[in-house]
Each structure stands twice: as C-alpha cells, then as structure tokens.
Amino acid sequence: MTPWLTILAVVPLLGSVIVVLLPKSRPVLAKQLALAISLVTLVLTVLMALQFNGASSDPFQFVESYPWIPAFGISYSVGVDGIGLVLIALAATLVPIVVIAGWRDVDATSGGSVKGYFALILALESMMIWVFAATDVFMFYVFFEVMLIPVYFMIGRYGGPQRSYAAVKFLLYSLLGGLFMLAAMIGLYVVSAQMTGQGTFDYLTLVGLEMDPTTERILFLGFFLAFAIKAPLWPFHTWLPDAASAAKPGTAVLLIGVLDKVGTFGMIRYCLPIFPAASEFYAPVVIGMALVGIFYGAYVALNQNDMKRLFAYSSMSHFGFIALGIFVFTTVAQSGSMVYMVAHGLSTAALFLTAGFLMQRANGSSLIFDFGGVNKAAPVLAGFFMFAALSSLALPGLVSFVGEFMVLLGTFQRYLFVGGVATLGIVITAAYVLRLYQKTMTGPLAVKLVGMPDLGAREVIALMPVVVLTLVLGLFPAPILNVINPAVDRVMTTIAAKDPGPTVSSEGSGR
Amino acid sequence: MSTLAAVSVDVPFTLPIVDYNAIAPLLILLGAGVISVLVEALLPRGSRRFIQLFIVFGALVASLVWIFTITGIRVVTAEGAIAIDGPALVMQGSILVLAILGALLMAERSVDPSGDVFAARASALPGSEDEKQFTARGYLQTEVWPLFLFAVSGMVLFVSANDLLLMFVSLEVMSLPLYLLAGMARRRRLLSQEAALKYFLLGAFSSAFFIYGVALVYGYAASTQLPQIASVLTAKPGQTSLALIGMALILVGLLFKVAAVPFHQWTPDVYQGAPTAVTGFMAATVKIAAFGALMRVLYVAFGGMRWDWVPMMWIIAGLTMLVGSVIAISQSDIKRMLAYSSIAQAGFILVGVIAASPAGLAGALFYLIAYGFTTIGAFAVISIVRDESGEATNLSKWAGLGRKSPLVGGVFALFMLGLAGIPLTSGFIGKFSVFAAALASGDTWLVIVAVVASLIAAFFYVRVIVVMFFTEPGPQTASVVVPSVFTTIALAAGATVTLVLGILPQPVLELVSNAGLFIR
C-alpha cells in the first residue's frame, strides 16, 4: 500500500530543505521551485483523494502506523477520515495560491531572504498535513505546537511594522493553550495507563476510554482551551487581529484559512469523541462563547478602519458559527461546520489576497479611508473584491452559504432560540462587508490611487481557483458532503448524540 | 612503641573489599589528574598543551569506554561507601560525554586573538603591572587541565557516593577546582574573580550546612551510610526530629549545587563571570552530579520519610521554576539569562524528583542529559559571538545576529527552542517525561505550576530569537568568530543531540528506564 499521507507531508518538507539550500543569488529559482513543489503536493493530494472511499466503514483510511517512542506508547500513526481529507485538500490548494499571490511580497529590499519565506511556507504545509493526518494524540500535539514556529518566523521576519510584537503575542498565546493541552494530554496518558494497564496515545483506543467524570471535565478543559485559543473563540481572540494585521497577506491566508482550522478540527476530532460527557456538560458554555463571538466579532468588524483587522474580527465571528455548529450536536450542523471551515478558508483567501493586491497599490496602507472609487480605476480588482465580500457574507450559491445554512438549520433543530439569535449575526455581517465594499470600491477615486494598475495576469491566476471552487462547491456541494457526512456520523455515534426529531411535525409535515 | 604494637595485635587490620573493576572509571580520572599535575610541574611550558590534551581526552575516553564494559554491574563496594548502580552509571557516562564537550570548548584557541580564553596568570591582580606583563608576553596556561580532571573525578564519585562522608569529600573534590576555574577568565578579570570568590564563599557556606547535617544524621542513625540510615528510620519510626533537621541541612547543601531557589544567589554571578567554556561545562555537568546525589540521598536514605520532604520540595520546586523564569525575563546579559534559565530548569527537574517513582527518576535523568547537551551548545555559541572587547554577552549586541550569521543564529534558536521545550527538541521530551511522572504520582498542581512557569520561560527564550532574527543588524551587532574544530565539534554535538533526542528519543529513554533504581 502506498504511504500516501507520509509522502504528502514529506514532499513539501524536503522541498523546504532544498529551497533553503539554494544560493541566495537565485531568488526567482527559489520561488519557482516552491511553486513546483506545492503543485506536486496538490496533485498528489488529488490523486489520494480520488482513491478515498466515502462508503468505507473504517474510521480512517490510508492508515500507517509505526512505533515512534514505545517507552510512552507513542506511535507515528496517520490516517484520514472525510474531515481530515477535506482539510488537507484545503491546505494543499491554498499553498500554491499563496505562493503565486505572494510572488512579489518578499524581495531583497524587504529585509528577509526570499528563499526563507518560501521555505517556511513549504515547511508549514508539511506540518499542516501531518497535523490533520495524525491519529496519535501525541503526534497531533507535536505538530500542533511545531507549526507555530514557521508561522512565528513568517510573521516576525516578513511582517509589517508591528511584526515583532504580533509574532511574540501569537506564539505565547498559542503556547499558553498548547501547554495546558500538554498537561491534559499527559493526564489522558496517565488515565489510559491506569485503565488499560498500558499508557497509550492511540486515538481510537482513547476514544473508547470510560473516564471518571471529574477527570474527564478537567482534561476536556485543557484540550478545549488550546483549541479555543487556536480557532480563536471569544474571549481568547486578542492575538488574531494583531497577527493578521502584521502578517503578509499570504501568511494571513495560511494562518486564518488553514491554521486556525486546526482549532475547530481539534474540537470535533478530539474534544467530542474522547470527552463526550464533558463536551455535553460544557456545550452550553461553548455555545454561549460562540454566540458572543459571532456578535462581538461582527460588531467590532463594523467599526474597524483597518481592513486586515476587519477581516480578523470577521473571521472570529465566523469561527463562532463553526464552533456553534460543532457543539449543538446535530449531524446537519456538524457537517455544516465542516463545510463552513472549507468555505471560510476559501473566502479568507479571496479577501486577504484581493485586499493584499489592493494594499500593494497604495504603498501598503490597509486603512479603509485611504481607499475609494477603486472600481473606476481597477474594475477587475473591484470585481474580485465584490466576489470575496459576497463569499464572506454567505451569498446563496456560494459554498459559504451551504455551510452557514446547514449550521443554522442544525442549530434550529435543537435550540430554536440560539438559532434565531445566531441568524441575526448574518445581518451584521452583511452590513460590515457591504460597508467595506462601498467605502473602498465606490465613490470618487481616492487621490493616492490615481493611476493604479488593475490586476495583472499573475494575480488573476492566483484568485481564479478560489473563485471557481467557491462557486462550484456552492452550487454542487455533494463531493464534500459525501466524504464529510460519514465522518460526522461517526462522531455523532461516538458521542451517542441523536438528532432531535422534527418538532413541527403536527402541522409542518401536513402540507 | 609498645602500646602501638598492642593495638595492632588486638584489632587485626582487614583490607577493605574494593571492586576495582567497578570504580576503575573514577580511578582512571584521578590518576590522570595526578599525572596532569606532574606534567604541569615538570615539563617545559611549550610542550605542555599537547600532552595535557592527550591526557585529558585520553582519560575521559578511557573512562567512558570502561563504563560501557561494566554496564551490567550493580554493586555496593568499598565497604558500602560507593554504589555503582544503573543510575550512577548513566550519570557517570553522561557526565563524561559532556565533560568531553566541555574540554573541547576549553581547549579552543582560535576565538580569542590573544590566545585562549584563560588568564595568562590567574594569580596576578587585575589591572596590575604583572598582569600586563604576562599578557604582553603572550603566556598561555595549561593549569586548567588538572583542575578540570579533578572536578570531573569529583562528579563521577559524587553520583555514586553511598556514604554521606564520601559524598561530602567528593562534593569538595568537585567544587574546589570549579571555584578556581571560575576565576580564570582572560577578559573581564574583576568580574571573573568576583564570581570565583562568591562561588567559593557561598559554596563553603553550603558545604558547612551539608556537613552539619551529616553530623546530626549520624547522631540519629549512628551511621553515615545511606542504606543504614534508611533501615534505622524504619526501625525507629518515631523520634525522627534529629534526622529531619539533619536531612534538611543536607538538602540545603545539595540544593545549593543544583541552584534551587532560595539557594540560587550565586548562579547568575558565577555563570556570568566564569570563562564561558567553563560555564558551559559546569552548567551541564554539575547539574547532573548534584541531582544524582540529591536523588540518591532522598530515595535511598530518606525514602521512608517521603511525606516529610515532599511538601518542602514542592515549595522549593515551585519557587525555583517561577523565580527562575520570572527573573530571567528582566536580564539583559545573555549569560545571566541562561543562569536564571538554569535555575528554572532545575525546578522542572525537581518536578521529576518529587514524583519519587521509577518514571520520575528516569524522567529526571533524561531531562538532565537533554539539558546538558543543549546548555553546553548554547554556551559554545556564546563563546564565539564576539566584538572587539571579547565576548558580546549583552543582548543588545545580538540584535540582528540571525540575519548576519543565519547558521549560528539558527543553531542558537534551536537551543532556545529546546530549552523552552518546543516539540521535536530534546527539551520537550524531557518536560514530557517529568510531567508524566509527576501526574502519575498525583502531583497535579505542581504540573500546573510547571506549565505556567514553562510559558513564562518561553517568553525569554523566544525573546532571544526576536532579537536575533526580527531586528535589523546594526553597527553594534557582534560578529561570529570562526572557531577551530574543537568548538565546532562541541557545537555540532549539542545541536545534533538536541534534535535527535527530540525526534528519536527512544534509545535514551530505554537507557534511563533500564538503568533501574538506586541500589541499597
């Protein structure tokens, strides 16, 4: 059997090493090589995805497992279910896009070395694949933490004026969560040793563990804190706006589009199945946090003058939806959350990259009032921006609508009130997104922008795949849903949650 | 005359039984130390260096090889004074390997334009005419080598001492040469001498505590042998106040050596003032030796009083982690920062010690090994980052270093990440091992304190990376001197072990867990 996942992760890692070893005088070669490697990875991902059997009853496919540190029951184990597969595909898709879009982001004048930036992107891709593929909790943790290092350097070395502060804040905040997760993970190991006689980190073994309720709740908190910081949920979000506004657009896409998904992925992959009772116990709290996040993020976004910060707060609001979908425990909502994760990755990419192209044309300013009337000078750019904005507010026909609709539908099934409140969040989202478009794209052309060029071929090429995917998956979401649904069903079975029956049956079904 | 004869008839002299095979590693080192003194005394200056290096590396390697041949030995020998058991052999072996790296750093002669890193004549007053003369003549000393060998001998004995008196002797054999070595820096003589004096005075003070504690414990148990003390404790479970006070005083002496709060005051000054090569050697090896002795005393002699020492050690471990991490944040000198870091790390190791379980012992051993290699590598980097006044230890001079010299900056960043305990470095597996042991022993709160301290510590480790990589190099930025093969080997070994023990720690984990427990 081909070790697909290992190959997938190793290719970019090797690529990153090769890119680093290139001579400093060949920056273009470094970029070309990075692009080639990321495309190879994408092709490999597609080839693997085609062999994925959606109807299989195995919890994981493409499974590999070798002992790694037997002394602690740790193994190198990888495998994917539908959720993991979709997220790996998202990462593999976004990396080449980011490489193309960031082609001119880093040059000799911007301080850092060119090859370094692209090597870091590739290294990050490799870690993202491993983190989504790991089926050993220890291995997941290792990559969950190590992933921070490339991002830390990408922000700290290549970011804007506040980069050093933002990078340190990002790292320390993430480490805070990570260290509590470490303690909880070790606790889980100790519990498994006490209950099975042999400590293990094997995911499937840990899922079946019947823990003492108090222990379970404490351990849940350790894991959840790490994921809530990573995602981030309100009130653990304060690192995100700083990191997003200091980072290069490409870095921000990978950070918010993929990396933050590890948080929500962790909730559905680790928190729910391993700590089912605790998840149920804490669900009201998490739902509350999610609701506050939806509104708080949207409200702050409404009042932001900095585009990058606006996107960060908007993402926070969307993460509220994703977490909500996970913790209402209905199949539709959880599937919706998974779709939403992909959709949010795509819309984040569209938003940040278009905005990045725009900002480049205004000497790097990201302040909304520096712009205006862009649709007159650069209609193509404005068009893509419109698309990105609509994708962010979940226009029907786009994939984000599928996700958001499913989350809300699933929420209504269980909590009518929560669903109703969350729906109001959509209104604010529409308000800030349209306000942003109006202020930057319409009206008289800003003085600074006179003579700005429209998008070039490279920039259009970078954005097109995102647009196409957003549209295609929005109109025809079956490919994603087909692989996600079995995985979500399995989670629902593990946590022994049943979908509530139709509550409006008395008259609603009478048509 | 006649009385003397009568005594010797009444008490026939019996030869102590000594397993020479088991203590041969120690004897090799001591013998080499004596020869090294003779070389220093008898041979002409010019020919000493080569011969000394030959003796030092020869003895270290021979001793190490001997340890590999006796890995299966578990024996109490020399009339119960020395215990050669699994943990002792592991610690002796790691002390020797780290001593080899330390010796490589001390043998370096290419980084300082005036020759080596040691004073032309340590006894000359700083700033005196004498000193200027000696420096101008370009004298290079080799007197560090006999001192070095005796220090290593002391450590090797310290971790296997099964008798409090022998433990005291080996403590002094280890410490006295270190006091001298700390005062031998070529540059910043006053700082170096201050370090030596401070180390000596506080060290002597702590030794006094130790020996007073030994006396009190002897008063209680009528023996200084650790297993004897343990059996008296089980035989007389009440009336332990004398033993308790004695144990506390002994622990003061040992905790001083591991640099645990509140006995840590010497550490920053000594780490900063001592020649960097010596600091690296000392930071890595003394930690192992002192923890070895500490664990042996706690487990073998006072294992029965676990519930008396655990609360005290709890407080000390918590304080050590927090104080070390917090104060390190405000340091602007990189050697002082690493000194406080070493204090914080001692606290993490204490977490494993407190677990008082086989897993805790194995975790602490692993942590000590991992920490030793990372630390010695970090000091190796510090020794080659220089400006015209010598080593550039002020953090402001490291600004942009990672951009100026990416390789050295990258390696130092690796060491910082290792000390911070980021996964895929040895420091992470070390932290993992001791935390796991502590949780299994039920010390949940201590682990939470440790987690918080790890986060605080991560801040200052990461700050070094920020300074090196995220700031632009300026005119004040120090340069990296290209060292000779000696430092390069030490540096490469430190970096390799930091990575390998992070990615593939299984062999070493097996080694420390197969070492088993201290024998009684």
Side-chain angles (χ1 to χ4, degrees), chain B residues 216-217 220 229 233 239-248 302 305:
Chain B
L216 290 181
V217 170
Y220 169 80
I229 297 167
L233 273 174
Q239 319 154 6
T240 51
S241 44
L242 205 56
L244 257 180
I245 301 170
M247 176 184 75
F302 299 109
M305 292 170 78

Side-chain angles (χ1 to χ4, degrees), chain A residues 408-423 503-504:
Chain A
L408 288 174
L409 188 68
T411 310
F412 274 117
Q413 280 179 357
R414 197 175 286 273
Y415 307 106
L416 195 60
F417 176 72
V418 173
V421 173
T423 313
T503 47
V504 285

Side-chain angles (χ1 to χ4, degrees), chain A residues 96-98 100-102 353 357 457-467:
Chain A
I97 291 173
V98 164
I100 298 174
L353 295 181
F357 297 146
R458 172 183 64 86
E459 292 161 326
V460 174
I461 290 174
L463 288 172
M464 269 329 274
V466 181
V467 172

